[in-house]
Amino acid sequence: MTVTLGFAEPIDEEFHSESFPSKIGGQPRWIDPQHPLNVSQATCDECQKPMALLMQLYAPEDEPIEAFHRMLYVFVCRTGSCHRASPSRCMRVFRAQLAEENTVYEEVGGAADEDDIAWAMRSSVKPAKQCVVCGMAGTKACSKCHERMYCSRDHQLADWEVGHRAQCGSGEGEGEDHARRLRNQQYPELLIVSEEEEFKDKNDDFDDEDDGSDSESEDEIQPEDGAMVPVTNEKAVDSEVDVDKAFLMFQRRIQQNSDQVIRYARAPGAEPGQPLYVSDAGIPEDVPGCELCGAQREFEFQIMPQMLNFLGLKADDPTSIDWGTLLVYSCPNSCDVKDAQYAREVIYRQHFSSQGIGDKYM
Amino acid sequence: MADNAPAGARGERGGFGRGRGRGRGGRGRGGRGRGRRDDGEQAWVPVTKLGRLVKDGKIKSIEQIYLFSLPIKEYQIVDAFLPKLKDEVMKITPVQKQTRAGQRTRFKAFVAIGDSDGHVGLGVKCAKEVATAIRGAIILAKLSVIPVRRGYWGSKLGAPHTVPCKVTGKCGSVVCRVVPAPRGTGIVAAPTPKKLLALAGITDCYTTARGSTKTLGNFVKAAFQAIGNTYSFLTPDLWAETAFTQSPFQEFSDHLVKAADKKKY
């Protein structure tokens, strides 16, 4: 089962013209700009504030035809203390998709080489109003100048504080400082590039779980040893690390690509992959089925803890967001979303275990 | 699920990174091997919160980690604080397992690591090749580094040189006891624990061992446990009440405790 890894890279010029980017942070680029997500769907249950986009992933499917363009959005609450609750309260995953023939995009680019196909937005498409802070549906406007749209009161206040108060009604646009501070309300924007995982299993010494059954002879086994039994009957107390095997396997797997941020395990025509767990606890069970079509959800991709390095978190903030890994399960049929526009998927979180290696000896 | 796309269609698009519009295989990384240093080692990308704190330099010494008993899961954390660790391979034994097709031999490496100044670790790893076993054992040894408390035998002149009190450790049938000794005695011990005690930074001590010390695994683990117990022993000079400091990672420690709870969706 091949896994595709995602890596974070700085944004380059091509990024802005891309219709379907995969990225970390920034404002969400909606697959259908006429229907942005409504903030009521992405509000943290703990603190009632709007969530921020953690990442979006463009994951097209060959079938069904409605999923020709398919985007997954992951939102998280920026308040770290909300994350002590269960992940369903402070994190959301949404799936949005479009068929190949749709009213939003048209093909451009050379048809000679299939790889050159690009899509551009049709000129008839008029994007709906988006909140200037977070990019979700902008349903409220500034009461004074009616020029800036917001999704919620929280963001209206935020924009007011960081610079709109100074230029409301004056007709000029955002200053540089203002724009920069608005960007800081979201996570830093980075591109996600993909690469297939190459995992060379150099040290396949993972069959050492069964060491208990080894007949250990503590003396060096010399060919000239006449004794058939070990000189001492004493067996060494099992010295294998039985602490947190899952974590050791996780470390081995990521060693060769230590800066990976996404592991994507769904391949067309193949069995869905198994997630790479970080501990033995917290393995998801009883994954709820898809609300729309009833199919059993399958594992699609996981977000690695290395992504936390790219979010610009303050290191010594004790309440900052933390996870071992985030597992996203989604509908395997990519069922049609129709009017709701965004289908909710489920996300699980695993933390690292609190066992250290030293515990074994104490 | 997905069958082969019919001829004339655009081939397989499914899955992240294989979409059209960005070329085959999605966007590749700028040059394979980007970020690799010459020796083939990649820069450390921390995975745990403690690792991120250490990489940012927010933690000043490894003692802060010991104070709050935070688990160290990445060996690079230990490397960051104790760059002068010396490792010593104590023994490599072949171990065999009977299989239908004969015997399968693997090598078990015992590695002790220490800076001769109060930090020591022990790692045991079994692998098909000796080099792999040693490398793995070194990493495990780094992860198990433990502080060693030293004290005085008699008058408190100069730097501490021996264990603060009689400590004992047991593993299997081997009981290893380490007893304070006056300055200048040196380490009076069998060669195996002698190496470990030297790496710990204990200059003088007497030792006593009982049981099947021939089993090196048990003997060295008993000695390791004994010197680890130096900080678990409550001596009269620790009787004074300490004000508990609020760990800057207080939230972090709390959530680790909760991590054992079953996660419900």
Side-chain angles (χ1 to χ4, degrees), chain A residues 4-7 9 12 14-15 18 22 57-63 68-69 84 86 88 100 107 114-115 117 119 191-195 198 203-205 207-208 210-211 213-221 231-232 234-241 244 247 250-251 254-259 264 266-269 281-282 285 288 305-306 308-309 315-320 322 332 344-349 351-358 361-362, chain B residues 1-3 5 8-32 34 36 42-49 52-53 56 58 71-76 91-97 104 106 108 110 122-129 132 135 139-140 143-144 146 171-174 212 214-218 221 224-225 228-229 248-252 254-265:
Chain A
T4 308
L5 302 177
F7 300 91
E9 296 228 338
D12 55 12
E14 293 180 346
F15 176 73
E18 217 172 306
S22 293
L57 202 68
Y58 178 58
E61 295 276 341
D62 274 337
E63 51 172 68
F68 190 80
H69 296 297
R84 310 185 81 192
S86 104
S88 62
E100 186 176 358
E107 271 178 41
E114 288 187 5
D115 291 346
I117 295 173
W119 287 276
L191 185 60
I192 299 180
V193 297
S194 67
E195 210 172 77
E198 280 171 30
N203 347 324
D204 67 305
D205 46 1
D207 34 3
D208 49 6
D210 46 2
D211 236 14
S213 59
D214 266 1
S215 66
E216 219 187 78
S217 57
E218 279 296 337
D219 301 332
E220 307 277 328
I221 295 180
V231 178
T232 156
E234 174 101 7
K235 285 249 170 57
V237 169
D238 181 32
S239 45
E240 286 314 317
V241 181
D244 219 357
F247 180 70
F250 166 81
Q251 279 227 301
I254 65 167
Q255 216 173 13
Q256 286 163 21
N257 298 289
S258 56
D259 49 349
Y264 191 90
R266 207 180 266 187
E285 317 173 350
Q306 287 91 326
L308 292 161
N309 293 311
D316 47 5
D317 177 12
T319 57
S320 63
D322 192 25
R344 258 188 83 165
E345 304 287 9
V346 312
I347 186 166
Y348 286 95
R349 178 183 56 200
H351 281 298
F352 291 112
S353 69
S354 53
Q355 293 164 311
I357 305 291
Y361 298 109
M362 290 300 128
Chain B
M1 206 172 89
D3 310 312
R10 283 181 184 128
E12 294 196 342
R13 287 183 78 241
F16 151 63
R18 282 176 251 195
R20 288 289 165 222
R22 293 308 319 168
R24 289 244 96 227
R27 268 278 212 113
R29 280 165 83 190
R32 186 81 187 104
R34 173 197 71 106
R36 263 185 230 282
Q42 285 183 311
W44 173 37
V45 180
V47 149
T48 53
K49 183 159 183 181
R52 282 191 291 276
L53 284 161
D56 285 343
K58 295 290 193 301
I72 299 178
K73 297 186 102 86
E74 298 177 271
Y75 71 91
Q76 293 95 335
K91 190 154 193 193
I92 306 203
T93 36
V95 290
Q96 293 183 331
K97 174 179 165 148
R104 182 194 67 182
R106 287 188 300 160
K108 193 161 178 170
F110 294 86
L122 179 67
V124 181
K125 181 94 178 122
C126 200
K128 287 208 189 99
E129 293 164 32
T132 315
R135 219 179 311 126
I139 291 182
L140 288 176
L143 287 172
S144 71
I146 209 158
C171 181
S173 73
V174 180
S212 178
K214 216 168 159 98
T215 33
L216 186 104
N218 290 349
K221 273 190 273 184
F224 187 66
Q225 214 188 48
N229 281 344
F249 335 121
Q250 181 70 28
E251 297 274 337
F252 171 63
D254 280 349
H255 102 212
L256 279 181
V257 170
K258 289 194 188 132
D261 299 341
K262 183 159 175 236
K263 289 277 172 224
K264 296 196 210 42
Y265 178 68

Side-chain angles (χ1 to χ4, degrees), chain A residues 111-336:
Chain A
D113 186 353
E114 288 187 5
D115 291 346
D116 275 349
I117 295 173
W119 287 276
M121 214 172 296
R122 291 183 203 259
S123 38
S124 55
V125 165
K126 289 171 44 133
K129 300 236 188 301
Q130 298 182 12
C131 171
V132 296
V133 178
C134 69
M136 294 204 235
T139 46
K140 304 173 174 45
C142 170
S143 41
K144 253 182 79 181
C145 66
H146 299 289
E147 262 159 46
R148 287 169 82 75
M149 309 302 291
Y150 303 106
C151 62
S152 61
R153 180 132 176 81
D154 292 289
H155 283 172
Q156 183 197 11
L157 283 172
D159 190 38
W160 189 254
E161 295 301 319
V162 300
H164 183 52
R165 175 197 299 177
Q167 41 97 237
C168 180
S170 67
E172 31 179 80
E174 304 174 344
E176 259 199 50
D177 257 358
H178 184 187
R180 189 177 39 86
R181 276 189 230 123
L182 272 187
R183 272 200 298 280
N184 288 347
Q185 298 280 323
Q186 303 294 101
Y187 288 119
E189 202 170 17
L190 290 163
L191 185 60
I192 299 180
V193 297
S194 67
E195 210 172 77
E196 288 253 338
E197 183 183 34
E198 280 171 30
F199 180 56
K200 286 187 287 281
D201 210 348
K202 283 180 291 208
N203 347 324
D204 67 305
D205 46 1
F206 257 99
D207 34 3
D208 49 6
E209 295 118 23
D210 46 2
D211 236 14
S213 59
D214 266 1
S215 66
E216 219 187 78
S217 57
E218 279 296 337
D219 301 332
E220 307 277 328
I221 295 180
Q222 313 276 356
E224 56 269 19
D225 245 359
M228 293 298 287
V229 295
V231 178
T232 156
N233 287 325
E234 174 101 7
K235 285 249 170 57
V237 169
D238 181 32
S239 45
E240 286 314 317
V241 181
D242 56 13
V243 159
D244 219 357
K245 261 224 164 69
F247 180 70
L248 292 180
M249 286 212 56
F250 166 81
Q251 279 227 301
R252 251 187 80 221
R253 198 77 202 237
I254 65 167
Q255 216 173 13
Q256 286 163 21
N257 298 289
S258 56
D259 49 349
Q260 60 191 250
V261 289
I262 304 270
R263 287 180 74 84
Y264 191 90
R266 207 180 266 187
E271 281 300 304
Q274 274 292 94
L276 185 64
Y277 296 115
V278 299
S279 93
D280 295 315
I283 293 188
E285 317 173 350
D286 296 329
V287 180
C290 173
E291 282 95 27
L292 297 174
C293 69
Q296 176 63 8
R297 284 199 171 100
E298 283 171 359
F299 173 64
E300 182 161 1
F301 72 97
Q302 68 184 109
I303 303 179
M304 306 297 273
Q306 287 91 326
M307 188 184 276
L308 292 161
N309 293 311
F310 296 102
L311 297 181
L313 300 172
K314 269 205 292 294
D316 47 5
D317 177 12
T319 57
S320 63
I321 299 182
D322 192 25
W323 64 73
T325 186
L326 298 173
L327 309 168
V328 175
Y329 287 75
S330 64
C331 175
N333 304 328
S334 291
C335 48
D336 198 10

Side-chain angles (χ1 to χ4, degrees), chain B residues 101-178:
Chain B
Q103 283 160 331
R104 182 194 67 182
T105 308
R106 287 188 300 160
F107 297 96
K108 193 161 178 170
F110 294 86
V111 170
I113 201 170
D115 66 346
S116 303
D117 195 21
H119 299 100
V120 65
L122 179 67
V124 181
K125 181 94 178 122
C126 200
K128 287 208 189 99
E129 293 164 32
V130 173
T132 315
I134 293 179
R135 219 179 311 126
I138 290 179
I139 291 182
L140 288 176
K142 284 186 184 159
L143 287 172
S144 71
V145 163
I146 209 158
V148 176
R149 186 177 180 202
R150 289 158 296 166
Y152 300 95
W153 173 81
S155 51
K156 295 185 173 31
L157 296 177
H161 58 103
T162 185
V163 280
C165 53
K166 297 178 189 169
V167 286
T168 175
K170 178 172 158 68
C171 181
S173 73
V174 180
V175 174
C176 180
R177 188 188 202 205
V178 183

Side-chain angles (χ1 to χ4, degrees), chain B residues 50 59 64-72 247 249 252-253 256:
Chain B
L50 190 63
I59 304 188
Q64 274 185 287
I65 302 179
Y66 290 140
L67 181 59
F68 299 105
S69 299
L70 300 173
I72 299 178
S247 153
F249 335 121
F252 171 63
S253 326
L256 279 181

Side-chain angles (χ1 to χ4, degrees), chain A residues 36-93:
Chain A
L37 185 70
N38 193 296
V39 72
S40 55
Q41 296 203 45
T43 302
C44 173
D45 289 340
E46 296 278 315
C47 64
Q48 310 306 328
K49 291 214 190 78
M51 294 187 186
L53 178 77
L54 176 67
M55 51 152 273
Q56 64 180 75
L57 202 68
Y58 178 58
E61 295 276 341
D62 274 337
E63 51 172 68
I65 47 164
E66 297 93 20
F68 190 80
H69 296 297
R70 182 166 167 273
M71 192 77 92
L72 288 162
Y73 299 95
V74 180
F75 290 92
V76 297
C77 178
R78 284 205 77 162
T79 319
S81 46
C82 297
H83 285 265
R84 310 185 81 192
S86 104
S88 62
R89 292 174 66 80
C90 52
M91 299 193 216
R92 298 280 146 77
V93 182

Side-chain angles (χ1 to χ4, degrees), chain B residues 229-249:
Chain B
N229 281 344
T230 53
Y231 261 120
S232 323
F233 205 104
L234 183 67
T235 56
D237 48 340
L238 295 175
W239 282 353
E241 282 198 29
T242 47
F244 292 123
T245 50
Q246 167 79 263
S247 153
F249 335 121

